[in-house]
Amino acid sequence: MSAITGIYQINEEPVNFQYGQKLMAALRKYPADDVQIWHSEKVFLGCHAQWITPESVGEQLPFYDDTRQCAITADAIIDNREELFQKLQVERSKQKRMTDSELILLSYYKWGEESPKHLIGDFAFMIWDQKQQKIFGARDFSGSRTLYFYKNDEKFAFCTTIEPLLSLPFIEKKLNEQWLAEYLAISGMIDAVDSSITPYKQVEQIPPSHSISIEKDKITLKRYSYLTQGKRLKLKSDEEYVEAFQSIFQEAVNSRLRTHRKVGAQLSGGLDSGAVVGYAVKNLPMNNSPLHTFSYIPPDDFQDFTPKYLLADERPFIQSTVDYVGRITDHYYDFKGQDSYSEVDNFLDVMEMPYKFFENSFWLKGMFEKAHMEDVGVLLNGDRGNFSVSWGFPLEYYAILLKKIKWILLLQELNQYNKNVGGSRLRKLSIISKIGFPILEKIFPEGTPYRLPTLINQEFARKTDVYTKFKDYGINQTGWYSSPNIFKERKKHFEDIFQWNAGSTLSSKLSLRYSLWKRDPTNDLRVVRFCLSLPEHQYVQNGIDRALIRKATEHYLPDKVRLNLKIRGVQGVDWVHRMIPNWNRFIDESHKLSKDERILNYLDGEVIKKALLKVKDGVKPERATDPDYKVLMRSLIIYRFIKKFT
C-alpha cells in the first residue's frame, strides 16, 4: 500500500539526512494519502503511503516500537490475519484496528528471520532492530511487491522503485550488461534468470521468496519459501475435492476484498477471471457498491483474422458472465487512438526497464487508469490461474495413461474428448504418443515449433557467457527449457523464482502509479499449495480439460463460459492494426536502430535487417503473430531504453 525507502549507515558515521530527503523527493511523482519518515543516528526510513485497506487509513508508518526498539516500514497487505491473530495471541479487542505492518512486526518478534514463512499476502518490508543493530526485510513468495537496494562498505539504501536510488550521488547510472544479455537471450516473456540483478549495475533487488539481513557489514540473502509438489491429497470422492477447493478459493478471494474503497476486477471471457468475479460477488458485503469489471475490446474497425476457435472480441462471453453473476457494473474499453508504439516511453517510465508484453501494454496500463477514476482500491484478476486453479491439459494427461498402460481408461477419455472438441482420434493418438515418448518426435518430426528469432548478438552472448549460465536452469540456446514436457514446465514454474519477476514488476509499479492494488486469488499461497497437492485426474475428467475449475464454478458462472471447450479468447492480436497511423514512424525508427553501432553491440543486426525487409512491404494486421514483427518491436523497446544511458 506504499512506496517504502530508507538508508542504513553501516559504518560508524551518522546517516546523512539529506540523502533520505532525496529518496522521499523522488517518490513525489506517485499519489499519496500520507508521507512520513522516521530516523535515528544510523537509520532513515520513509513511507509514501497509499491507504487501501480500512486498517491502513491514518496508519503511522514508519512505525517505531519503543518497548522492543524496532522500527518498520512496509508495503504490504497480509491475507492470513485471522490465522496470525491466533498464533500471536492478539487480543480480540485489538484485532480489528491492528495494521498489517504491526502484524509483520509481531511475527518478527515471535519467529525472527523465519517470520516471512508465516505471512500470506503481497508484501515487501524492512525492519530496523536497534537492539541487535540489524536490518531485516523480505519480499513475498511471488514478488508481488518490488524492493530494490544498493550496498557498499558504508551504506545500504533500499526503495520500492529504482529511480529514487539513482538520485543518490554515490549510485552511478550504469547499464548492467549481464542483465541485458539474459533479457535478450531469453525467448519467452521472462526478463532475467538471475532474480537479484536489474538493468542497473549498482542496483540489485531482493528476489521473490527471499529475505535479506544486514548485520554490521555482512549482507545475507536467503530463500525462505519453496513450492514443490509434495504429498498427494487423497479424498473419498470428486465432490469432496470440489468442496475443498471451493472453501480454499473462497477464502483467498474474500481476503482480497478488504478495502475501504470500491472493488474492481479485470474480466475476460475466460474461466480464471470469471471464477474470481463469481466468487467475489458471492461474498461482496451488501452495503458495498457493485463489483466494477473492466474489460478490453478491440476497436470497431478491427477485422478479426484469427481462426474460428479464437476470439479477439470476447464481449459475448463477458456479458454472459455479467448477466449471470449480477451485482456488476461492467466497463468496456477499446482505448481508441492508443497503441503499443506510442506508449513505449510512457511504459519504460513506469517499468524502469525494458518489457516484452508490448502487444497489451497500453490497455494493461489503461485498465489501472480507468479503475483509478472509478475510485477502485482493489483490482482483482486471475492472471496466475494457468498453473494453479485452471491447470489441466488433456493430451499430456492421456500420455501419462499411455505410459502407465491404462489403455481402457485412455480410450474412454479419448472418446469423450473427441466428442467434446471434435477432430480425428487417430491424429490425437499420434500426438499423445509423441508427448509420452519424445523419441518418436525425433523419428517422425512434424512441423516447426513457433519460436522468436534469437535477438542477442552472438559476440555479446560469448562475452557475457550467458548460455553457460542458462544451463544451470535447464535452458538451452533457443532461450527456453529444452524439455517440452508441460508437467516439468509447471514444476519449474514454481521452482525457478525468476519466472515471477516480470509480471510482478508490472503489477507492483502500475499499482503504485494509480494508487490501487492488483490482487490475484489464483496466486494465493494456500490455493497454490492445494492445487499442487491434487492428483492429475482431478484436472482432466471425462474428456474435459481444466475439470476442477469447471466443476467448482457451477452456480457461479454460466454454462456458456464454464463449459466452453471450443473457443479461446486472444487479446492483443490487434496491435499491428492499431499501429497503422504510426507505421511509417515505426519503420523509420527501426531503420535508425539497425544502423546504430552502439545497439548493434547487443542486438543481432542480421535478425533486425531480415525483419525490416518484411515490415517495409506495408502494414499487414494479420501478421500480428509474425515472429519478425514481434522481434522488431522488442528491438525498438531495447533501443529506447539504452538511449537513456549517456
Side-chain angles (χ1 to χ4, degrees):
M1 296 175 298
S2 312
I4 60 173
T5 191
I7 301 175
Y8 168 47
Q9 195 69 28
I10 295 173
N11 60 19
E12 296 305 313
E13 296 179 9
V15 66
N16 189 322
F17 187 74
Q18 289 184 337
Y19 293 158
Q21 288 180 314
K22 272 186 170 291
L23 291 169
M24 296 301 291
L27 291 173
R28 288 178 191 157
K29 64 189 288 187
Y30 304 109
D33 294 300
D34 196 11
V35 176
Q36 298 182 48
I37 63 170
W38 177 91
H39 64 94
S40 63
E41 186 180 6
K42 297 183 68 173
V43 177
F44 175 96
L45 299 178
C47 181
H48 195 84
Q50 297 175 347
W51 297 337
I52 304 297
T53 66
E55 301 82 12
S56 68
V57 177
E59 178 180 12
Q60 183 182 339
L61 202 64
F63 171 75
Y64 180 68
D65 183 343
D66 291 294
T67 305
R68 301 279 193 133
Q69 295 183 3
C70 284
I72 183 172
T73 188
D75 176 25
I77 296 181
I78 302 301
D79 293 322
N80 62 330
R81 285 169 61 89
E82 295 300 323
E83 178 189 22
L84 290 172
F85 287 150
Q86 293 181 24
K87 288 183 176 180
L88 299 169
Q89 297 181 325
V90 177
E91 295 175 20
R92 182 161 294 277
S93 61
K94 296 180 180 179
Q95 292 178 8
K96 187 175 182 180
R97 294 305 304 166
M98 179 167 281
T99 65
D100 289 337
S101 57
E102 288 177 277
L103 259 181
I104 294 170
L105 208 49
L106 289 177
S107 300
Y108 174 73
Y109 297 156
K110 184 174 179 63
W111 296 297
E113 294 192 6
E114 297 296 302
S115 54
K117 293 181 180 179
H118 299 268
L119 305 175
I120 293 175
D122 302 339
F123 60 82
F125 64 86
M126 281 290 183
I127 294 170
W128 164 239
D129 190 328
Q130 192 166 316
K131 288 183 178 179
Q132 295 192 41
Q133 293 289 292
K134 177 175 73 174
I135 285 275
F136 175 74
R139 195 172 166 206
D140 67 71
F141 90 97
S142 64
S144 299
R145 312 306 292 175
T146 51
L147 195 54
Y148 303 97
F149 69 90
Y150 163 86
K151 179 188 177 293
N152 63 15
D153 294 336
E154 299 175 350
K155 301 175 185 68
F156 172 81
F158 67 89
C159 193
T160 299
T161 57
I162 296 173
E163 186 181 352
L165 293 173
L166 297 175
S167 72
L168 297 174
F170 48 86
I171 301 180
E172 186 180 1
K173 183 179 178 180
K174 189 174 182 181
L175 181 65
N176 186 344
E177 293 191 345
Q178 183 61 47
W179 184 94
L180 182 61
E182 293 182 23
Y183 179 91
L184 292 173
I186 292 173
S187 59
M189 304 302 285
I190 310 305
D191 45 27
V193 296
D194 187 340
S195 297
S196 67
I197 61 176
T198 77
Y200 301 89
K201 195 161 188 177
Q202 292 189 321
V203 178
E204 300 176 64
Q205 66 179 323
I206 300 174
S209 296
H210 277 66
S211 63
I212 187 170
S213 64
I214 303 96
E215 199 165 3
K216 295 182 180 178
D217 60 347
K218 183 182 179 183
I219 182 168
T220 305
L221 277 170
K222 177 183 176 183
R223 184 168 182 176
Y224 66 82
S225 174
Y226 293 85
L227 282 171
T228 56
Q229 199 165 22
K231 187 178 179 181
R232 290 289 192 182
L233 180 65
K234 292 184 179 180
L235 300 178
K236 294 179 181 179
S237 65
D238 291 342
E239 290 73 21
E240 287 190 9
Y241 283 107
V242 172
E243 288 173 6
F245 171 80
Q246 288 176 324
S247 175
I248 289 173
F249 190 59
Q250 188 69 71
E251 182 181 18
V253 173
N254 292 352
S255 300
R256 286 160 176 78
L257 300 178
R258 191 162 56 98
T259 179
H260 67 285
R261 290 155 59 188
K262 296 176 184 176
V263 178
Q266 289 179 277
L267 180 61
S268 70
L271 271 172
D272 295 342
S273 64
V276 171
V277 164
Y279 276 74
V281 170
K282 282 276 187 183
N283 271 296
L284 202 63
M286 291 307 296
N287 60 341
N288 276 30
S289 61
L291 181 73
H292 288 259
T293 60
F294 300 87
S295 304
Y296 171 71
I297 56 175
D300 291 338
D301 59 348
F302 173 69
Q303 295 182 1
D304 192 352
F305 57 84
T306 58
K308 289 183 178 180
Y309 62 86
L310 298 178
L311 191 64
D313 187 345
E314 300 180 58
R315 267 178 290 190
F317 290 91
I318 296 170
Q319 289 171 346
S320 178
T321 295
V322 169
D323 294 340
Y324 185 89
V325 172
R327 284 194 71 197
I328 289 176
T329 299
D330 48 333
H331 307 268
Y332 303 89
Y333 300 106
D334 65 4
F335 299 105
K336 188 175 182 179
Q338 297 182 42
D339 62 76
S340 302
Y341 179 77
S342 60
E343 286 290 316
V344 171
D345 284 338
N346 192 295
F347 222 75
L348 284 173
D349 182 56
V350 170
M351 291 291 292
E352 304 182 293
M353 60 184 64
Y355 57 95
K356 296 178 178 178
F357 38 82
F358 59 86
E359 299 98 328
N360 304 322
S361 58
F362 63 92
W363 69 258
L364 287 172
K365 183 172 71 68
M367 290 296 182
F368 275 79
E369 184 178 0
K370 297 298 184 182
H372 173 72
M373 292 169 64
E374 296 291 339
D375 192 35
V376 166
V378 165
L379 185 65
L380 302 171
N381 71 94
D383 287 354
R384 298 282 174 85
N386 284 345
F387 287 95
S388 59
V389 301
S390 65
W391 175 257
F393 295 83
L395 299 185
E396 283 77 3
Y397 173 58
Y398 300 157
I400 292 176
L401 297 180
L402 179 65
K403 292 176 73 174
K404 290 184 176 181
I405 322 180
K406 295 186 177 182
W407 293 337
I408 295 176
L409 180 57
L410 171 60
L411 289 175
Q412 290 173 344
E413 280 283 344
L414 196 53
N415 282 334
Q416 287 290 331
Y417 183 63
N418 222 50
K419 289 179 183 178
N420 292 332
V421 301
S424 166
R425 191 173 67 172
L426 285 176
R427 164 87 175 120
K428 292 184 181 69
L429 196 57
S430 171
I431 297 171
I432 291 165
S433 300
K434 290 179 181 180
I435 294 172
F437 303 97
I439 188 66
L440 295 177
E441 181 62 43
K442 295 181 180 180
I443 299 172
F444 306 106
E446 188 173 344
T448 304
Y450 175 88
R451 185 176 297 145
L452 284 176
T454 302
L455 191 52
I456 190 170
N457 179 309
Q458 290 305 304
E459 182 58 37
F460 180 48
R462 284 189 288 272
K463 174 185 170 184
T464 54
D465 203 20
V466 66
Y467 290 119
T468 300
K469 190 172 183 178
F470 280 5
K471 287 180 182 177
D472 295 336
Y473 298 88
I475 296 175
N476 60 25
Q477 290 203 333
T478 67
W480 202 237
Y481 296 120
S482 52
S483 171
N485 186 300
I486 193 69
F487 300 105
K488 289 182 180 178
E489 188 170 334
R490 187 194 196 197
K491 183 172 181 287
K492 297 289 283 182
H493 176 81
F494 291 110
E495 286 180 352
D496 295 337
I497 53 176
F498 64 79
Q499 301 213 35
W500 297 322
N501 250 343
S504 295
T505 299
L506 171 66
S507 60
S508 181
K509 291 181 179 178
L510 283 176
S511 292
L512 186 61
R513 173 69 66 96
Y514 293 104
S515 189
L516 60 93
W517 273 49
K518 186 175 181 180
R519 310 227 58 213
D520 186 356
T522 69
N523 191 50
D524 184 285
L525 197 52
R526 295 162 293 195
V527 170
V528 172
R529 284 172 175 160
F530 176 83
C531 291
L532 286 175
S533 75
L534 294 180
E536 200 62 38
H537 66 79
Q538 285 302 311
Y539 290 114
V540 181
Q541 282 187 1
N542 302 319
I544 295 176
D545 67 348
R546 302 192 284 173
L548 179 67
I549 192 68
R550 295 186 193 278
K551 289 186 289 185
T553 50
E554 188 175 7
H555 308 306
Y556 289 83
L557 290 177
D559 287 351
K560 179 177 180 176
V561 173
R562 188 176 70 88
L563 301 179
N564 172 33
L565 296 170
K566 295 185 177 181
I567 298 174
R568 182 165 60 88
V570 282
Q571 298 167 333
V573 292
D574 58 345
W575 75 272
V576 174
H577 168 82
R578 286 178 168 277
M579 281 176 53
I580 290 174
N582 286 314
W583 195 253
N584 289 335
R585 291 175 58 205
F586 168 59
I587 292 177
D588 289 344
E589 188 172 1
S590 299
H591 188 69
K592 287 179 182 176
L593 80 85
S594 73
K595 296 182 177 181
D596 190 313
E597 291 299 326
R598 185 181 182 192
I599 196 72
L600 294 179
N601 287 326
Y602 305 121
L603 304 183
D604 189 326
E606 293 304 313
V607 169
I608 294 171
K609 288 177 183 177
K610 178 176 175 290
L612 267 172
L613 287 175
K614 190 173 289 186
V615 300
K616 281 181 178 178
D617 63 0
V619 56
K620 293 181 171 56
E622 66 275 13
R623 287 184 177 175
T625 59
D626 189 305
D628 288 319
Y629 272 50
K630 290 192 171 191
V631 83
L632 203 57
M633 192 65 190
R634 282 193 181 186
S635 300
L636 187 140
I637 292 167
I638 290 287
Y639 178 58
R640 292 266 190 100
F641 179 74
I642 290 177
K643 284 171 69 176
K644 293 176 177 287
F645 294 85
T646 57

